[in-house]
Structure formats: C-alpha cells, structure tokens
Amino acid sequence: MTPKRRLGHCVLFLQTSADTSTRTWNDFETAAQAIEWLLARFEHKLKAVAATTPAIQYEMPAIFKFVDSLSDVAMFVSIEGSSIALSEDGAPIYAPKGREWIKTQIVHLLDGDPVRL
C-alpha cells in the first residue's frame, strides 16, 4: 500500500502591487493555514472598504478577483508521507504552486474539504 501523501510546511510568496517593495513571504505549518491567512487578508480588505457595514458578505468570484488582483502570489508546499518527499540528503522537497492552484484550494477549504495536491 502506498503511503498517503499530505501537504506539510508551506511558504507563501505575495506581491500586492507592481511595486517590488510590496513583496513579502510568510511560512505556515500547513498549506491550509496559508490559504486561511490569505482569506483573512481578503476579509480584512473588505471590512476596511465597508467599515460601516455590520456584516460583510461575499461570493467566490469576489475572492478570485482579490487573488487575481495580486501582482504575484505563489506557494512552495512540502510533500510529506511519500518516498519522493525527501531529497537525497534527507531535506524536504517543496512543490511550487501558483495562482490557479491557490484558487482551487480556496474552493476546497470553503467547501470543508482538505487542501490537497
């Protein structure tokens, strides 16, 4: 039986505008935590725009528009529980993930499904 692969440590790279000084990165224990952080940024931005509204509401297209508005967004996600998860020297191997993968994972997370490869 093949061991189940799961996503582990994640580094999120983010650039909010064309200005390269807005480049930043954060690391998270899991890819799901990184996605949740990105959603929290989106919600914070909505709350700032609609400060007088007691409750904010949004739909998936608004989240996608936010993700697409970022000049750059990507993740490096470690793959655990697999023979390919470690390099020859035993260091974890990270898979690069882009904007479309991130949007797909947002859908999974909001649907209550696990973030996955």
Side-chain angles (χ1 to χ4, degrees):
M1 178 184 221
T2 306
K4 186 173 182 166
R5 298 186 326 180
R6 67 181 184 88
L7 302 179
H9 180 255
C10 176
V11 181
L12 171 67
F13 299 94
L14 185 68
Q15 183 173 332
T16 58
S17 73
D19 181 356
T20 58
S21 70
T22 66
R23 285 182 185 158
T24 188
W25 62 273
N26 290 299
D27 69 314
F28 300 89
E29 291 294 318
T30 67
Q33 289 175 348
I35 297 294
E36 289 169 354
W37 182 87
L38 197 57
L39 284 170
R41 267 188 82 114
F42 165 71
E43 290 176 354
H44 179 75
K45 185 176 177 180
L46 279 183
K47 287 176 186 174
V49 171
T52 59
T53 305
I56 59 169
Q57 295 182 0
Y58 54 86
E59 295 182 8
M60 200 61 69
I63 299 170
F64 289 170
K65 184 176 180 180
F66 167 74
V67 173
D68 289 336
S69 76
L70 301 170
S71 287
D72 199 10
V73 61
M75 293 183 184
F76 283 159
V77 182
S78 70
I79 304 169
E80 300 175 348
S82 168
S83 60
I84 65 163
L86 299 176
S87 64
E88 290 179 9
D89 63 359
I93 292 178
Y94 285 79
K97 301 295 181 183
R99 187 181 313 266
E100 294 306 314
W101 182 86
I102 291 169
K103 291 192 298 189
T104 299
Q105 301 317 306
I106 289 170
V107 172
H108 291 312
L109 189 70
L110 293 177
D111 283 346
D113 297 333
V115 172
R116 55 187 168 224
L117 285 174

